[in-house]
Amino acid sequence: MSDLNITGVEGTVAIKPPPETPKLPPREWLKENLFSNKFNTLLTLFSTAILLMISRGLLSFIFNPERQWGSTATNLRLMMTQAYPEEQYMRVWVSVAVIFTLVGASMAIWNAGSRVTLRRLGSFLLSSGVVINILTLLAPFSGQAKLIWLIIGSAVAGAGGTLLRVSDKDKNISSLTLVVATLTAAILSLWIVPFGHHSFVFERTPRSMAETGTVALTTKLPWTIMVVIGILAYFFGKTMTSRFPSKNLRPTIIGIWFLTPPTLLYLVLRDPDFDMGHVLNTDIPIFLIFAIAGGILLSWLTRPTTGEIGRVCAALVLLAGFGMFFTPMRMIIRILMLLLATFALAAPTFAGDSKKQRRYVLAWIGVSGIITWLVTAVNTPSTIEVPGDFFLGGVSLTLLVAIFTIVISFPIGILLALARTSKMPIFRILSTWFIEFVRGIPLITILIFFSIMVPLFLPKGMELSEVSAIVIGYSLFSAAYLAENVRGGLQSVTRGQHEAAEAVGMTTSQKTFFIVLPQALRVSIPPLVGHCIGVFKETSLLAIIGLFDILYIARNVIPNQTEFLGSTRENLLFVSLIYFFFAYQMSKASQRLERRVGLGER
Amino acid sequence: MNEIENTETSASTRDLSNAPDMIVCEGVSKWYGDFQALDDVSATIKEQEVVVVLGPSGSGKSTWIRCINRLEHHQEGRIEVDGIELTNDLRNIEKVRSEVGMVFQQFNLFPHLKVLDNVTLAPIWVRKKPKAEAEEQAAALLERVGIPEQADKYPGQLSGGQQQRVAIARALAMEPRIMLFDEPTSALDPEMIKEVLDVMKELALSGMTMMVVTHEVGFAKEVADRIIFMDDGQIVETGTPEVFFSNPTEDRTKLFLSQIL
Amino acid sequence: MSDTPTSTSAKVLSARPPLWRDAVVLKWVTQLFLLFIVLTSLWFLTSQAGDNLEARDIPSDFNFIERPVDIQLSEGIDTHPDSGGRALWVGMVNTIRISIVGIIFATILGIIVGLARLSNNWLVNRLGTMWVETLRNIPLLVQIIFYFSVLTVLPRVTLESGPINGWFHISNKGISMPRVFLADGFYQWLVVVLIGAVVGYYVHRHRTRIHNETGTITSPTLWALAVITLFAIVGIFIHPIFSWVGSIFGALASLFDSLPVLVPQIVLSGVALVGAAMWVRKFIRKHRSARGHLSLVDDDWFRIIFTAAVSIILVFVFISWSGLSSWILNSGRDLFEVIESKFNVDGAARPFDAMRPEIIQKGKFPNYGPSGLTMSVSFAAVFFGVVFYTSAFIGENVRGGILAVPKGQIEAASAVGLRRSQALRHIILPQAFRVILPPTGNQYLNLTKNTSLAIAVGYSDIVQVGTTVFNQTGKTLPVVGIWMLFYLSCSLTISVIVNWFNVRMQLVER
């Protein structure tokens, strides 16, 4: 469907650091870069014309009095959380606060941020001031607005110029300080600048309302708290770093990061009146039985002396788990059984002394606990008084689908890639066919197929919401592309590595797990990040099958509100901006990561 | 070279005729497609014996010792290592792999693991040793190969000679009874060859059974109990270093020696 | 492994390990186990789907292909198709049309963007970067819908001559411009050009030989092009002499009409069996040593058995599914009849013609007429969407490819005295092209698949038409099957073409 698989090429290109700004005086710099010969001059003039045309077109579009930007401002909540009930908003804010805390703490623990020289800051400010002034001159402003913007632009440029002139060559500040300063300024502006207060008022029928003044308290107060929490978390992280070694701290934070999405989703979606009876008398006992019985089985299987009989045993468990799909059974039991079979099959790989046995059993209990909890959370009478699937929408639906798709498709993709590069012909053929088949057809056909057809493929009595069906389809699609990315990494692991691992006596699964996969995944980080960006971008296709994602809201919901008829383009522009912001930030972050990890440097 | 002439402990003076058999090959043959890599190779290697395999490139030396570690499958004949026959039997393959250590031409260290983890990985997960014990042993082995201070570095930060010594330590950590060396010095700069050969010499003197594919004639003369010369996938000639180098019988051997000496 | 060469020593047999420890046995047992699981799951799911569909009384058959449907398409070769099959066919043609046009324009734009990104001119460079970063970080669907919503607020079309003298019309109904189109005599003219191409090829060879022998500059490519152009120009006047070519195709059509169904069945089966047999023979010959020793491992045996099984299954399909054979015969006949009719035209017909767009009144609002080249708003939205989006990616490929040529190559070229243009043509471009081609082929595949987003703006591509068809008939599964088949064959075609170029490039390099 997409750009999912080409990012590798970009990656290799992007590694080159941007050329240093040449230390030439302005006039020579201009001559060198813009007017070195006739053809170059022509190009410069031509592109200046294009640039001016584009900016003028955009500005006269944005600042046209006919534009209904109020439609975007009034519907911001709709775009973020769709029909999530207002009285439950506290849960959403708590989730956002958790994420802010984690971001702040992680930044402290990973020592994020770099130093920015004041000169660079100055030249940045100077050029942005100049750009603001040029744009102001182009924009169709009234005289007064023009003047105000010109003053702002000149002030920024002046500040930049002064900074450039005054500061020493190697005086610098932390980029984090800059970020915090910007955030604080933004939050302060919420309290000071009269952005206006837009909202819907519900009196029999919803009616939009716009007031002058600063934004509503229900918006500015929570965001202020969020930023404060983020900053506090940063300092908390700093103290943690000084107390504990990063060897222990970092894995803990990574673990929390992985547990956060399901926890928060559970927090956001759970019905407030949910009673724990079912959990207490069914789910927890099932989990306990599996944890104990499975733990005993696994501690026996991981004993070094067990030998081949363990494999037979694991195969039997697998067969039993598989058979459960043909008999009436609770879904949780089927899933746990298959999980146990997987653990049992992998057990000889991790066999060892009693310490290792204990760790393996603990891993089993942990994983099965999380899975039980997730299944329970999914089956919990979720929420919230809006009927149907569509209480979820907007950005939160996009995030839900993207996160779940990526998480589910990761193991599937890795398995497919391993199968495709394995020495076993049937595995190879099956996985190749699957991958090539999926890669040959557009995502939209898969989504349509899954949204319509999945109910037909399920046995009687089993139901799956449309969102889940689509997540499954999207995960299979994403797994095929992901497998190709991972395969690239697997092929980069040399034959010598395989042989060395075999020569020290590792079994195939030990070799794969300890030697091959770590190296392969490290190599495939850039294409994998590109893939994740692709998955995020293409959640926009949900709009086509009628889910209320942000694009659907912007195109089909808001322009049909009585107050904002035909305000499609404004909202589409806003949606583009949101997607652009996230995708661009992610790709920049991946480039930074790439440089930091120092790929190829072995 | 002088130094080698002067060393008095030549392993080749030992009498190994009563030692038990370590590696037995009978009529081993192997094909790659229509190319025959090994042609009816038969040889017996005794315990504590040090055998150097010589031969032009493409003569099947590497294929042979890789067959002994079951990195390649022989198609005919039988190979027995320490009484274990190499077949498709999983248990035998596992056993043999942990009996036989192997050192490669390209080192093949695991680049994503620190030197210490490179050495301890297999003892922990294959031999099922407790971690502390494995690390203790690894430290001792790194001491033995002369690089105890590099334990916390990554392989990419070491020189070729140091990497190859780590590779030897990694193989020794499995406590093998036999060590196979596949051209261990061919990828090294000349000044690093000696440090690796010294470690190998020390190993040979400690009584390890060794099979070495190499072009280092000096090492062969000094340390080997026996030289096996291969060409076209066949064993052309075997003999003690003294006889082999001074008085070869076969024409092919003479031609080869005239080219390398 | 049976025939052993004469061995000097006694043949030594190894003991077989017990089954549950035999690596080979375990390997195959595991694989068969997985195969079993996959097949059972598939069988389980399909039987479930069958039962459920039965219960809802929606049989999954392909009847709708011949039944009449009530569909009106916005554009295409037939806006009122009389059957479901015809409707899907129109959708396929629309998809192919927009893909090909899109690929051409995306390539051109992509090269420009890539070169802009490499430019020394700071402003051009920045513009290229902005283009790439903006377009590839906004989802394509958002872009398409945005272009669509911008195009639909353009002014209405009026009955007066359009904005530019009646040659161009830009309105909320679409974009319209004059066009050159292929007229009736085109196919006869094409025969002349083909003859010209053959002659040109020989001229090229001849000139090359002269160049090789004497060393004088003979510019063979220029000569060949000149010959072809000459033929093309002359062909405009003399092409009616080739109207007899049609009778060859007429004869072929009647031959196909008279063949019994058995013939294609036998031919196809024969091809499958003989092909498999030849492959196995070649495989075995490759694995036999000079001395006649055959060494096959278990994987090789699997390959042989798999090939044999596939060929036998194919034969079974060909024989039992007579519909396939009659379809081949019928469509072959139809194809040749169509070609015959193309040649069967008035001797005075011209190969080309040109037309201006015209506006006609239809209902209450004026509409574009049938002539001229008209881009409907939906087509334009999808077209601009995929072209801009893909151009960003192709631009990155071009840039990467040119940067991937090592600097030493350029230095070496100037060291042997090549001029800059020569170095570019003979040294840099061939190497860069080899790097650029595979990812760009991938982008072509993506572009083709991305045209399926047309459904969001109502362009009648195969997905949009298919959705309409299954909404009316309820036959979702067959329609989805047709979609997948169509897209898979598109992907296959593009990969084959790209691979062909790829192989050629590598040969050129050697």
Side-chain angles (χ1 to χ4, degrees):
Chain A
M1 162 102 258
S2 69
D3 45 296
L4 293 179
N5 50 343
I6 58 91
T7 14
V9 179
E10 284 161 42
T12 51
V13 172
I15 289 174
K16 279 202 163 183
E20 289 281 313
T21 348
K23 301 269 181 261
L24 288 172
R27 186 189 271 176
E28 275 175 44
W29 183 87
L30 278 179
K31 192 167 180 323
E32 178 87 355
N33 287 290
L34 298 177
F35 304 105
S36 57
N37 56 33
K38 268 187 202 152
F39 177 67
N40 221 338
T41 314
L42 210 65
L43 270 182
T44 307
L45 292 179
F46 179 67
S47 38
T48 317
I50 289 184
L51 206 62
L52 287 181
M53 248 166 63
I54 293 176
S55 358
R56 199 177 156 76
L58 259 179
L59 287 169
S60 57
F61 174 80
I62 294 172
F63 294 104
N64 194 321
E66 281 173 30
R67 289 290 90 74
Q68 306 177 337
W69 288 109
S71 66
T72 312
T74 314
N75 286 296
L76 264 181
R77 283 213 164 158
L78 188 73
M79 285 189 168
M80 294 303 146
T81 51
Q82 226 254 327
Y84 198 81
E86 204 140 336
E87 64 274 15
Q88 301 290 337
Y89 256 40
M90 198 56 203
R91 304 193 201 176
V92 179
W93 285 122
V94 170
S95 312
V96 178
V98 170
I99 290 171
F100 264 78
T101 316
L102 273 175
V103 170
S106 312
M107 282 186 129
I109 288 165
W110 267 269
N111 227 344
S114 50
R115 310 294 296 182
V116 181
T117 57
L118 284 181
R119 288 199 162 199
R120 235 184 107 195
L121 184 65
S123 63
F124 172 75
L125 284 179
L126 183 62
S127 46
S128 10
V130 172
V131 168
I132 289 176
N133 278 348
I134 293 175
L135 291 183
T136 313
L137 289 177
L138 287 171
F141 282 147
S142 65
Q144 201 188 352
K146 220 165 212 171
L147 195 67
I148 294 176
W149 276 107
L150 276 179
I151 291 172
I152 295 177
S154 312
V156 173
T162 333
L163 209 56
L164 204 57
R165 197 165 284 263
V166 171
S167 57
D168 290 338
K169 199 172 181 182
D170 34 44
K171 207 164 204 174
N172 54 25
I173 55 171
S174 156
S175 63
L176 274 181
T177 321
L178 279 180
V179 170
V180 170
T182 324
L183 272 179
T184 319
I187 289 296
L188 275 181
S189 76
L190 283 186
W191 290 87
I192 297 168
V193 184
F195 287 115
H197 175 187
H198 301 264
S199 67
F200 274 112
V201 185
F202 290 87
E203 307 162 340
R204 280 198 206 146
T205 52
R207 183 174 63 80
S208 88
M209 173 208 86
E211 286 172 2
T212 49
T214 56
V215 293
L217 193 68
T218 47
T219 304
K220 59 190 173 189
L221 185 65
W223 282 113
T224 314
I225 298 174
M226 295 304 139
V227 169
V228 171
I229 286 178
I231 295 170
L232 288 181
Y234 179 80
F235 288 112
F236 177 68
K238 276 284 170 220
T239 46
M240 294 288 278
T241 336
S242 55
R243 290 268 177 80
F244 302 99
S246 65
K247 204 176 82 182
N248 302 337
L249 215 51
R250 290 187 179 183
T252 319
I253 294 285
I254 291 176
I256 295 177
W257 266 114
F258 272 99
L259 287 179
T260 307
T263 318
L264 292 186
L265 284 169
Y266 181 66
L267 174 75
V268 171
L269 297 185
R270 189 176 57 83
D271 185 348
D273 306 325
F274 174 59
D275 105 90
M276 297 294 282
H278 185 266
V279 173
L280 285 179
N281 63 28
T282 317
D283 292 333
I284 289 182
I286 289 178
F287 162 66
L288 283 180
I289 291 169
F290 265 93
I292 294 167
I296 294 169
L297 177 72
L298 289 176
S299 75
W300 173 65
L301 284 179
T302 43
R303 210 176 296 167
T305 48
T306 305
E308 290 88 17
I309 204 85
R311 289 196 189 117
V312 179
C313 221
L316 283 180
V317 177
L318 185 63
L319 212 56
F322 186 60
M324 281 184 181
F325 277 83
F326 296 90
T327 47
M329 188 71 66
R330 286 192 160 276
M331 204 58 202
I332 177 75
I333 299 183
R334 292 172 174 165
I335 292 175
L336 284 179
M337 201 68 188
L338 282 188
L339 195 69
L340 179 62
T342 320
F343 265 79
L345 283 174
T349 309
F350 301 96
D353 62 347
S354 60
K355 200 170 149 195
K356 288 202 203 84
Q357 277 171 268
R358 205 161 51 233
R359 213 185 287 163
Y360 197 67
V361 171
L362 281 179
W364 154 250
I365 292 174
V367 172
S368 60
I370 291 171
I371 294 286
T372 317
W373 179 34
L374 269 182
V375 174
T376 313
V378 170
N379 286 340
T380 303
S382 71
T383 321
I384 303 201
E385 300 84 89
V386 187
D389 272 331
F390 299 131
F391 68 89
L392 244 185
V395 173
S396 48
L397 176 74
T398 299
L399 288 179
L400 175 99
V401 172
I403 289 174
F404 267 78
T405 300
I406 289 168
V407 168
I408 297 174
S409 63
F410 236 89
I412 305 178
I414 290 175
L415 282 182
L416 279 174
L418 285 175
R420 197 170 177 177
T421 51
S422 93
K423 283 186 202 146
M424 309 213 182
I426 294 183
F427 283 10
R428 209 168 49 221
I429 288 174
L430 284 178
S431 110
T432 310
W433 283 0
F434 176 80
I435 292 173
E436 291 307 326
F437 176 77
V438 171
R439 275 160 45 93
I441 54 183
L443 173 57
I444 187 64
T445 57
I446 293 181
L447 293 184
I448 290 178
F449 178 78
F450 271 82
S451 73
I452 296 177
M453 295 307 282
V454 156
L456 295 178
F457 281 101
L458 292 177
K460 281 190 193 70
M462 212 175 123
E463 277 183 24
L464 211 58
S465 73
E466 195 180 3
V467 175
S468 324
I470 282 165
V471 166
I472 293 173
Y474 198 5
S475 306
L476 290 179
F477 176 84
S478 147
Y481 283 84
L482 207 138
E484 283 302 276
N485 291 335
V486 175
R487 185 168 72 118
L490 287 175
Q491 282 169 342
S492 76
V493 178
T494 56
R495 212 180 132 191
Q497 291 292 315
H498 289 262
E499 287 176 350
E502 278 166 26
V504 290
M506 291 189 187
T507 59
T508 311
S509 43
Q510 282 174 336
K511 179 181 79 183
T512 309
F513 191 83
F514 293 120
I515 307 298
V516 179
L517 269 187
Q519 294 183 47
L521 288 180
R522 196 168 300 191
V523 173
S524 9
I525 284 176
L528 285 180
V529 175
H531 174 80
C532 293
I533 297 174
V535 168
F536 170 73
K537 276 196 305 181
E538 279 169 16
T539 49
S540 56
L541 263 62
L542 298 179
I544 295 183
I545 44 177
L547 288 187
F548 282 68
D549 89 320
I550 182 166
L551 178 60
Y552 188 88
I553 293 173
R555 189 197 183 195
N556 298 19
V557 179
I558 301 177
N560 291 331
Q561 292 167 345
T562 1
E563 291 89 349
F564 305 120
L565 280 179
S567 59
T568 325
R569 282 172 296 159
E570 292 86 340
N571 291 301
L572 281 176
L573 209 59
F574 181 69
V575 170
S576 321
L577 212 64
I578 292 183
Y579 272 113
F580 176 78
F581 177 77
F582 281 114
Y584 186 72
Q585 289 306 323
M586 275 195 266
S587 71
K588 284 284 151 214
S590 94
Q591 285 170 16
R592 273 200 298 273
L593 179 83
E594 215 170 284
R595 244 171 284 156
R596 210 159 128 170
V597 173
L599 287 167
E601 176 198 302
R602 293 197 168 173
Chain B
M1 278 295 153
N2 286 339
E3 192 197 351
I4 289 172
E5 302 289 321
N6 291 340
T7 38
E8 53 349 351
T9 41
S10 173
S12 52
T13 53
R14 288 181 288 176
D15 177 25
L16 294 164
S17 53
N18 293 328
D21 292 349
M22 250 348 228
I23 302 172
V24 181
C25 297
E26 286 178 44
V28 175
S29 294
K30 176 168 180 62
W31 289 261
Y32 293 111
D34 59 0
F35 170 72
Q36 184 158 17
L38 290 180
D39 186 0
D40 198 14
V41 171
S42 300
T44 304
I45 291 158
K46 303 274 185 190
E47 190 170 0
Q48 300 207 350
E49 192 175 16
V50 177
V51 174
V52 168
V53 185
L54 290 177
S57 56
S59 59
K61 325 170 288 246
S62 288
T63 309
W64 184 29
I65 77 166
R66 288 152 66 87
C67 277
I68 292 171
N69 203 10
R70 196 88 183 154
L71 289 177
E72 310 270 359
H73 299 201
H74 58 287
Q75 284 153 348
E76 262 171 32
R78 48 184 269 133
I79 300 177
E80 218 171 77
V81 176
D82 199 15
I84 309 160
E85 196 191 338
L86 284 178
T87 57
N88 280 329
D89 191 335
L90 280 177
R91 186 184 285 176
N92 288 8
I93 297 171
E94 281 168 23
K95 260 196 227 158
V96 166
R97 290 259 170 84
S98 50
E99 296 267 304
V100 180
M102 177 125 182
V103 176
F104 299 87
Q105 181 181 358
Q106 297 295 343
F107 329 134
N108 293 341
L109 293 179
F110 306 132
H112 62 298
L113 297 176
K114 286 179 181 163
V115 164
L116 189 73
D117 297 325
N118 258 288
V119 181
T120 55
L121 189 71
I124 289 177
W125 294 108
V126 182
R127 281 266 192 236
K128 320 283 184 202
K129 270 192 188 171
K131 198 173 174 199
E133 192 183 316
E135 278 178 356
E136 212 169 287
Q137 177 207 20
L141 279 173
L142 288 176
E143 180 88 53
R144 184 172 169 194
V145 298
I147 39 173
E149 70 284 355
Q150 314 283 12
D152 279 332
K153 286 194 183 162
Y154 283 93
Q157 297 166 301
L158 303 185
S159 73
Q162 289 170 327
Q163 289 196 42
Q164 192 61 295
R165 284 187 280 164
V166 175
I168 295 173
R170 177 178 71 182
L172 288 176
M174 290 294 288
E175 293 159 6
R177 305 190 60 189
I178 304 163
M179 286 284 284
L180 306 176
F181 292 83
D182 188 1
E183 307 205 14
T185 53
S186 299
L188 294 177
D189 292 339
E191 70 266 27
M192 294 170 184
I193 292 180
K194 189 179 167 295
E195 62 189 50
V196 172
L197 288 183
D198 284 345
V199 171
M200 287 167 66
K201 240 180 273 171
E202 186 266 334
L203 204 59
L205 293 178
S206 73
M208 176 70 78
T209 315
M210 283 166 65
M211 207 171 151
V212 186
V213 171
T214 185
H215 296 294
E216 295 294 324
V217 175
F219 176 81
K221 279 182 181 162
E222 183 191 357
V223 183
D225 295 302
R226 190 150 52 111
I227 309 272
I228 296 182
F229 176 67
M230 285 185 82
D231 195 9
D232 277 344
Q234 291 165 322
I235 294 181
V236 177
E237 186 168 354
T238 43
T240 56
E242 296 82 27
V243 180
F244 180 86
F245 285 110
S246 56
N247 202 2
T249 50
E250 298 284 327
D251 288 342
R252 273 192 282 180
T253 321
K254 283 175 194 161
L255 184 67
F256 175 74
L257 287 177
S258 71
Q259 279 162 350
I260 63 161
L261 285 178
Chain C
M1 279 197 231
S2 45
D3 45 349
T4 327
T6 45
S7 167
T8 44
S9 69
K11 194 171 146 189
V12 199
L13 276 178
S14 345
R16 284 198 73 81
L19 283 185
W20 66 90
R21 288 199 330 238
D22 189 325
V24 174
V25 173
L26 279 177
K27 175 178 152 188
W28 287 99
V29 166
T30 326
Q31 293 185 81
L32 290 175
F33 183 68
L34 183 93
L35 189 67
F36 168 75
I37 287 186
V38 168
L39 289 181
T40 341
S41 314
L42 280 181
W43 171 80
F44 176 72
L45 288 176
T46 42
S47 69
Q48 279 295 336
D51 291 353
N52 285 329
L53 285 168
E54 200 98 332
R56 288 172 210 199
D57 205 19
I58 352 178
S60 288
D61 50 33
F62 286 84
N63 279 341
F64 67 91
I65 289 183
E66 274 144 29
R67 296 254 174 85
V69 283
D70 178 28
I71 295 178
Q72 196 179 344
L73 303 178
S74 63
E75 61 194 290
I77 49 174
D78 186 353
T79 46
H80 292 75
D82 50 6
S83 65
R86 177 74 181 165
L88 286 174
W89 171 245
V90 176
M92 288 182 202
V93 172
N94 278 341
T95 298
I96 293 173
R97 186 157 64 175
I98 200 167
S99 305
I100 292 177
V101 181
I103 285 177
I104 293 169
F105 280 90
T107 312
I108 297 171
L109 197 56
I111 293 174
I112 295 174
V113 171
L115 293 180
R117 291 266 276 151
L118 288 168
S119 166
N120 289 331
N121 188 311
W122 185 83
L123 207 59
V124 174
N125 196 317
R126 281 302 137 109
L127 264 181
T129 314
M130 256 167 63
W131 178 268
V132 169
E133 291 294 347
T134 315
L135 287 176
R136 72 172 183 196
N137 282 321
I138 298 175
L140 175 58
L141 184 60
V142 178
Q143 291 184 38
I144 289 179
I145 293 178
F146 186 75
Y147 301 142
F148 184 74
S149 63
V150 168
L151 287 169
T152 43
V153 295
L154 285 171
R156 277 221 208 109
V157 66
T158 56
L159 261 183
E160 284 84 59
S161 56
I164 312 173
N165 207 14
W167 288 88
F168 287 92
H169 301 276
I170 299 175
S171 75
N172 67 345
K173 287 278 193 272
I175 300 163
S176 197
M177 61 194 97
R179 67 158 175 175
V180 172
F181 67 95
L182 312 178
D184 290 341
F186 176 75
Y187 294 90
Q188 296 166 12
W189 176 77
L190 202 64
V191 176
V192 184
V193 175
L194 278 179
I195 295 172
V198 173
V199 176
Y201 172 73
Y202 280 103
V203 168
H204 186 273
R205 240 174 52 171
H206 180 70
R207 302 294 300 180
T208 315
R209 206 177 57 225
I210 292 180
H211 170 74
N212 290 346
E213 280 167 6
T214 64
T216 49
I217 292 169
T218 53
S219 35
T221 315
L222 217 63
W223 271 72
L225 281 178
V227 166
I228 296 172
T229 320
L230 188 71
F231 269 80
I233 293 170
V234 172
I236 293 176
F237 302 105
I238 62 153
H239 69 264
I241 58 167
F242 282 109
S243 49
W244 52 267
V245 176
S247 55
I248 298 176
F249 291 103
L252 276 174
S254 49
L255 174 70
F256 264 69
D257 202 24
S258 61
L259 282 180
V261 180
L262 201 62
V263 175
Q265 283 182 331
I266 292 174
V267 170
L268 287 174
S269 313
V271 167
L273 285 178
V274 171
M278 282 183 31
W279 185 86
V280 170
R281 224 183 71 184
K282 202 175 136 198
F283 186 82
I284 290 181
R285 199 186 305 147
K286 231 172 97 184
H287 282 73
R288 198 183 281 282
S289 72
R291 280 185 286 160
H293 177 87
L294 185 63
S295 57
L296 291 177
V297 295
D298 49 339
D299 280 14
D300 301 333
W301 283 110
F302 171 77
R303 262 174 229 160
I304 292 170
I305 294 170
F306 186 74
T307 315
V310 167
S311 73
I312 287 168
I313 290 172
L314 279 180
V315 168
F316 181 74
V317 168
F318 294 145
I319 299 292
S320 63
W321 185 16
S322 61
L324 181 72
S325 297
S326 49
W327 180 78
I328 290 175
L329 284 181
N330 287 337
S331 44
R333 186 198 60 208
D334 291 352
L335 179 72
F336 288 127
E337 272 174 0
V338 168
I339 298 178
E340 186 197 4
S341 69
K342 294 279 182 197
F343 278 98
N344 224 351
V345 289
D346 182 16
R350 282 178 297 172
F352 302 106
D353 229 327
M355 262 191 203
R356 252 167 66 158
E358 56 176 322
I359 297 171
I360 53 168
Q361 187 138 26
K362 195 182 188 184
K364 213 174 165 189
F365 296 106
N367 210 340
Y368 284 115
S371 50
L373 183 66
T374 305
M375 254 189 187
S376 73
V377 173
S378 351
F379 181 94
V382 180
F383 172 76
F384 288 127
V386 292
V387 166
F388 289 171
Y389 189 72
T390 314
S391 77
F393 290 98
I394 293 182
E396 283 304 273
N397 293 344
V398 170
R399 174 170 170 260
I402 292 178
L403 284 180
V405 178
K407 218 173 170 187
Q409 291 289 318
I410 303 166
E411 286 161 6
S414 57
V416 295
L418 289 180
R419 269 182 285 121
R420 208 178 138 69
S421 60
Q422 284 173 327
L424 197 70
R425 202 187 130 210
H426 294 289
I427 311 295
I428 300 173
L429 283 186
Q431 295 188 43
F433 194 67
R434 226 193 47 203
V435 181
I436 294 170
L437 193 63
T440 303
N442 231 337
Q443 285 310 320
Y444 293 160
L445 287 180
N446 287 340
L447 187 145
T448 309
K449 287 182 276 165
N450 280 337
T451 56
S452 62
L453 297 183
I455 188 178
V457 291
Y459 175 67
S460 309
D461 81 322
I462 180 153
V463 175
Q464 202 257 350
V465 176
T467 321
T468 322
V469 168
F470 73 62
N471 279 340
Q472 278 188 19
T473 59
K475 309 269 168 79
T476 316
L477 221 47
V479 170
V480 170
I482 290 175
W483 281 348
M484 296 182 170
L485 218 64
F486 170 71
Y487 278 110
L488 285 178
S489 25
C490 281
S491 303
L492 202 69
T493 314
I494 294 178
S495 331
V496 165
I497 294 173
V498 170
N499 272 340
W500 184 77
F501 271 110
N502 220 348
V503 169
R504 266 188 66 90
M505 284 318 290
Q506 277 161 357
L507 285 180
V508 167
E509 225 219 343
R510 248 170 241 159

